[in-house]
Amino acid sequence: MAEMSAEGKEPEILFWVGCAGSFDSRAQKVTIAFCKILNAVGIEFAILGNEEQCTGDPARRAGNEFIFQMMALQNIETLNMYKVKKIVAACPHCFNTLKNEYPALGGNYEVVHHTQLLQELINQGRIKMEAGGSFKGKKITYHDSCYMGRVNGVYEAPRGVLEALDGDLVEMKRSRTNGLCCGAGGAQMWKEDEPGDKRINIERAEEAIGTGAEIVAVNCPFCMTMLSDGMKAAEKQDDIMVYDLSEMIVMTNKW
Amino acid sequence: MVQQIVFFVVTALALGYAVKQFLRLRRNILLGKDEVIAGDSIQRWRNVALIAFGQKKMFKQFIPAFFHFFIYTAFLMTQVELIEIFIDGLFGVHRFFAPILGGLYTFIISFIEVLSIMAFVATFIFLARRNLLKVPRFFKPEMKGWPSLDGNLILVFEMILLIGIFSMNGADVLLQKMDPSHYSDTGTLAVSSWLGPALFGGLDQSTLMVIERFGWWIHILMVFIFLNYLPKSKHLHIIFAFPNTYYAKLTPRGEMENMPEIMNEVKSMMGLGGEEEAMAEESELPEFGANDIFDLSWKNILDAYSCTECGRCTAACPANITGKKLSPRKIMMDIRDRTEEIALNLDNGNMECAKDKEKPLDKTNYDDGKSLFDYISPEELHACTTCNACVEACPVLINPLDPILKMRRYEILTLSQGPSDWLPLFNSIENGGSAWAMSVDRDKWAKDVTGE
Ligand code: SF4
Ligand code: SF4
């Protein structure tokens, strides 16, 4: 972003990479896949690089408002300095915080989640899927992330993308509004589970396995980690793959 | 005449006591903090119409919704009958509306009769579901004792009410033939016109008159008992569901309430202005988040009183499903119990609970050495993933997540406690601007790909 603005250019959209997308090795692959798509369709985008900070979501949900405010106010400073108007986030938590919580602090942007942008691009014909792509007829199940689904009411965009991939979508019993959480939200990602019978991600992974799907599609880096771990615990990591929707588009098109 | 006086006195007592109880509930709810609930009223009325009247969320599960609907319509319809009972009771007339409404009267009373029977069947099925089929959501630890008795008591009430209605109508049908001048013609009633003769046929007029009066009094007394039982019961939701859906938040679900005090302090720390506002809040030891119901919003307490204890939230809660202690229903029941505990001390003017013994006991001068944390443990609070499944599931738009997050704020901000696992998280966000402590650049992935 700094380079673009030094050249006096205004990017079409700012890609908010997020902490997971920046540092988690699995989520980095999603980040790269998404960039490939943006490049392939010729969208001029920027990232903030080191000027991007955690949105503060995990701190806020844990109860630490101080740290949230520190992060949020710094980010808003940066975003406003670059006069950012539109943001795409690859993480539902970043998306939610940028979209719903920054306005109260003085940060007003048009925010979309990457699955929403992907569907838009597919609908506009800017992303064309190769006919008979690698997912044709494969059994795919889709895991609704809480922060896209119940929290922001986005259920159809990701399913639209899957449809375009020509896969055979099998729903889990708990889906859409009844979708079961992967277990990572509310800063659970960073702590051990409270005492109980089972981990939440195991419960969800078992449900996904029960559908007989070969692929679990997700839209959130935390769901990705949680469900991948769940597959490992069930020793299914070689049979059932957990992919983000952008990775699937890249694979189909062999970009 | 004697009957009229007795009726007047009983009514005055019952209504008076009910009004007192409802005013007490109002006071209890207002023990919470003031909060202006923003958003337009058209959307709110839509919610009331769809969710409270239309029971939209109930119909996610068809069978319970179907039977619940009978009980609910029977309840609404009986109100029509009650108007007549009041007129008859106060003015010493008999079936005031019968001659006026004619055929319509026959229809309404028949309708109520059929509905009451269906409602009774529905209650019966519900009890069987609860106690024989053992639907798991009714057998969580928080459902022991009063909550389960409360759920079962309603059947007893229904049964007594039914006995009242049918002995009243049944005897009346027979009396209409013996003394048409006093017992106005009700037409052929759907149930009583055959049930009456079947049960009471052949009895003499004076016995029938006693039965009719007995039924009438049972009917109205049951209504009075129910009205005064409501404020102590989960069945309060038949009234509170309406204000509760009206006042449900319309702001995005994903938005946690902003804390301007902290925002301004951080702003002034960062040199972004806001100093004046930060200075203005000169409280020595600020408390953040919620430790007790006084720090919750009045809406949280209204939520707690509206809770039907149905457990749809708990059945959807990922933490509860996987055996953790957290149960969103228990959170709501705890808030209600804690409010009642405080309310009782306030009612009794228990001066041991006053912070300053010189001043009168009220919400600003209250300290009984306990708090909501005596009801809700940190373990429960820490298990929540903020997934909003409970919020989505609740048929009366209660938000159990909101108080959980307020209590987390208290724990972290005021007590500086919380799961130790979160300390590294807070440190790396605060010091490195990232949720993980990383020594590499944030865009290293990009440099790796482009080879820069
Ligand atoms: S938001 Fe928390 S309490 Fe509510 S269902 Fe999810 S985990 Fe349970
Ligand atoms: S909070 Fe709502 S869903 Fe949960 S028990 Fe109460 S009424 Fe039922």
Side-chain angles (χ1 to χ4, degrees):
Chain A
M1 185 78 208
E3 290 156 32
M4 275 206 171
S5 94
E7 293 166 25
K9 281 199 277 185
E10 263 196 33
E12 223 177 294
I13 200 163
L14 177 80
F15 173 26
W16 188 274
V17 186
C19 296
S22 301
F23 297 122
D24 178 89
S25 58
R26 181 69 188 82
Q28 279 174 350
K29 292 189 185 147
V30 179
T31 309
I32 293 166
F34 184 59
C35 290
K36 280 187 185 162
I37 299 174
L38 292 178
N39 284 330
V41 294
I43 290 184
E44 228 182 305
F45 70 98
I47 58 168
L48 285 177
N50 273 342
E51 287 178 285
E52 181 186 290
Q53 310 258 320
C54 172
T55 58
D57 158 84
R60 187 173 232 198
R61 317 275 137 195
N64 200 326
E65 187 73 3
F66 268 104
I67 292 181
F68 166 75
Q69 294 284 351
M70 280 167 54
M71 291 302 117
L73 291 168
Q74 281 178 44
N75 281 325
I76 291 170
E77 278 280 285
T78 312
L79 291 167
N80 288 350
M81 178 181 81
Y82 289 122
K83 302 198 175 55
V84 170
K85 288 180 197 73
K86 190 167 178 184
I87 304 176
V88 58
C91 166
H93 297 266
C94 298
F95 163 77
N96 177 65
T97 304
L98 292 165
K99 179 172 190 277
N100 294 324
E101 297 191 325
Y102 279 18
L105 279 69
N108 293 290
Y109 320 101
E110 185 195 340
V111 189
V112 293
H113 182 249
H114 73 300
T115 52
Q116 292 173 304
L117 185 68
L118 291 175
Q119 201 208 10
E120 200 185 308
L121 293 172
I122 292 172
N123 288 349
Q124 291 170 350
R126 288 173 77 182
I127 299 180
K128 287 195 193 63
M129 304 287 185
E130 246 171 63
S134 43
F135 296 104
K136 190 174 167 47
K138 283 213 171 141
K139 266 194 171 181
I140 303 172
T141 189
Y142 171 70
H143 166 77
D144 285 283
S145 65
C146 305
Y147 275 74
M148 285 315 290
R150 270 189 301 271
V151 175
N152 284 291
V154 179
Y155 302 104
E156 299 312 326
R159 289 184 168 78
V161 175
L162 282 176
E163 208 170 287
L165 285 166
D166 219 4
D168 173 15
L169 179 65
V170 278
E171 292 284 359
M172 286 185 259
K173 205 167 148 234
R174 291 174 282 199
S175 67
R176 289 197 165 85
T177 53
N178 297 325
L180 184 77
C181 175
C182 71
Q188 296 296 324
M189 184 73 190
W190 290 269
K191 65 186 266 298
E192 279 304 312
D193 277 27
E194 297 305 315
D197 307 333
K198 202 193 229 185
R199 283 164 183 272
I200 298 173
N201 60 335
I202 308 258
E203 168 89 11
R204 187 55 164 172
E206 285 171 0
E207 189 176 0
I209 295 168
T211 61
E214 300 162 66
I215 291 164
V216 183
V218 297
N219 64 29
C220 167
F222 300 109
C223 301
M224 167 80 82
T225 308
M226 284 308 215
L227 291 176
S228 306
D229 287 352
M231 290 304 165
K232 268 181 223 144
E235 297 188 342
K236 289 275 182 197
Q237 72 270 32
D238 298 325
D239 311 325
I240 302 178
M241 306 312 287
V242 184
Y243 288 131
D244 184 272
L245 292 168
S246 26
E247 292 179 293
M248 297 172 74
I249 293 179
V250 169
M251 279 188 255
T252 271
N253 287 308
K254 303 189 188 71
W255 279 333
Chain B
M1 196 61 205
V2 181
Q3 237 198 93
Q4 268 166 275
I5 294 169
V6 174
F7 181 79
F8 183 79
V9 173
V10 171
T11 309
L13 284 177
L15 292 185
Y17 189 58
V19 167
K20 197 174 153 222
Q21 286 203 68
F22 279 96
L23 286 175
R24 178 176 178 273
L25 285 180
R26 191 188 130 84
R27 182 210 56 194
N28 294 355
I29 289 165
L30 295 180
L31 291 176
K33 271 196 195 158
D34 259 358
E35 184 193 5
V36 182
I37 303 209
D40 75 346
S41 54
I42 297 182
Q43 181 56 35
R44 290 173 190 290
W45 284 114
R46 257 179 59 112
N47 277 350
V48 174
L50 284 175
I51 292 170
F53 263 114
Q55 315 207 339
K56 184 170 156 219
K57 292 225 163 191
M58 288 292 290
F59 277 92
K60 278 185 136 188
Q61 284 175 291
F62 187 77
I63 294 178
F66 180 74
F67 289 115
H68 182 268
F69 199 74
F70 279 135
I71 302 185
Y72 167 70
T73 24
F75 172 78
L76 286 185
M77 290 304 297
T78 334
Q79 308 315 310
V80 183
E81 203 184 19
L82 269 184
I83 302 175
E84 185 181 49
I85 292 199
F86 275 111
I87 297 178
D88 289 355
L90 288 177
F91 302 107
V93 285
H94 186 76
R95 293 204 183 251
F96 178 72
F97 287 131
I100 304 175
L101 298 177
L104 184 62
Y105 187 85
T106 312
F107 175 75
I108 294 177
I109 300 293
S110 298
F111 195 64
I112 292 175
E113 285 195 350
V114 173
L115 270 177
S116 331
I117 291 199
M118 292 208 284
F120 181 73
V121 172
T123 343
F124 212 81
I125 291 176
F126 275 149
L127 271 136
R129 241 170 71 91
R130 234 170 219 265
N131 299 317
L132 300 177
L133 289 181
K134 302 220 181 277
V135 175
R137 62 185 156 102
F138 297 123
F139 288 88
K140 299 279 172 183
E142 68 265 25
M143 294 309 285
K144 296 221 172 75
W146 170 244
S148 101
L149 178 66
D150 188 14
N152 288 329
L153 243 141
I154 194 78
L155 177 77
V156 181
F157 285 0
E158 264 307 320
M159 203 136 60
I160 300 178
L161 188 67
L162 226 64
I163 294 175
I165 291 180
F166 289 114
S167 35
M168 168 175 108
N169 289 353
D172 202 271
V173 170
L174 294 170
L175 286 167
Q176 283 167 29
K177 299 199 189 81
M178 300 176 183
D179 182 4
S181 62
H182 182 70
Y183 295 96
S184 1
D185 185 13
T186 56
T188 311
L189 296 179
V191 179
S192 299
S193 286
W194 58 266
L195 189 68
L199 287 179
F200 312 124
L203 297 178
D204 62 33
Q205 189 172 349
S206 56
T207 320
L208 283 174
M209 281 167 76
V210 173
I211 294 175
E212 196 275 336
R213 281 297 89 187
F214 164 82
W216 190 87
W217 275 101
I218 290 279
H219 188 341
I220 189 69
L221 285 177
M222 230 28 250
V223 170
F224 286 151
I225 290 173
F226 187 64
L227 187 65
N228 282 290
Y229 158 83
L230 269 189
K232 298 183 172 58
S233 157
K234 70 176 184 117
H235 296 104
L236 188 56
H237 75 268
I238 61 172
I239 296 173
F240 276 23
F242 295 89
N244 204 56
T245 44
Y246 182 79
Y247 285 113
K249 275 201 185 134
L250 297 177
T251 46
R253 255 189 208 166
E255 184 186 358
M256 270 176 77
E257 197 193 345
N258 194 27
M259 299 178 81
E261 324 87 275
I262 297 188
M263 181 175 78
N264 290 327
E265 200 174 325
V266 173
K267 270 191 182 166
S268 76
M269 257 163 50
M270 291 169 54
L272 294 175
E275 282 97 345
E276 310 88 58
E277 289 152 76
M279 297 301 245
E281 316 229 344
E282 268 178 46
S283 54
E284 333 80 67
L285 246 179
E287 286 211 349
F288 298 115
N291 173 37
D292 212 336
I293 58 151
F294 304 110
D295 310 314
L296 294 175
S297 146
W298 66 272
K299 177 64 174 66
N300 296 132
I301 304 178
L302 176 63
D303 271 355
Y305 275 112
S306 309
C307 178
T308 73
E309 294 171 16
C310 70
R312 282 174 174 74
C313 51
T314 295
C317 173
N320 195 277
I321 288 171
T322 54
K324 276 102 194 164
K325 231 178 113 191
L326 172 64
S327 159
R329 167 175 55 194
K330 177 177 171 292
I331 302 283
M332 298 324 293
M333 292 168 71
D334 286 341
I335 294 172
R336 182 173 177 162
D337 289 349
R338 172 65 183 152
T339 309
E340 279 296 324
E341 181 182 9
I342 293 172
L344 203 67
N345 284 327
L346 291 178
D347 290 344
N348 298 339
N350 187 349
M351 286 314 281
E352 273 171 36
C353 300
K355 257 191 249 172
D356 182 344
K357 310 272 184 255
E358 308 296 306
K359 292 198 192 120
L361 183 68
D362 65 11
K363 86 183 228 192
T364 51
N365 185 29
Y366 185 93
D367 182 11
D368 60 1
K370 288 198 209 164
S371 74
L372 252 186
F373 281 89
D374 290 299
Y375 289 76
I376 301 169
S377 65
E379 181 184 331
E380 290 161 68
L381 300 175
H382 297 164
C384 175
T385 72
T386 72
C387 73
N388 275 275
C390 49
V391 182
E392 175 71 38
C394 183
V396 290
L397 300 189
I398 289 169
N399 186 335
L401 174 57
D402 193 54
I404 294 179
L405 291 175
K406 285 180 178 158
M407 290 183 74
R408 275 192 183 179
R409 280 178 167 170
Y410 183 84
E411 213 197 349
I412 299 277
L413 298 171
T414 308
L415 301 177
S416 306
Q417 290 170 0
S420 55
D421 288 348
W422 277 346
L423 289 177
L425 167 71
F426 295 153
N427 284 334
S428 52
I429 299 184
E430 189 172 354
N431 302 324
S434 155
W436 290 278
M438 286 289 165
S439 52
V440 294
D441 278 347
R442 222 176 156 90
D443 50 1
K444 184 173 180 292
W445 55 271
K447 291 175 184 143
D448 289 349
V449 174
T450 54
E452 264 180 52

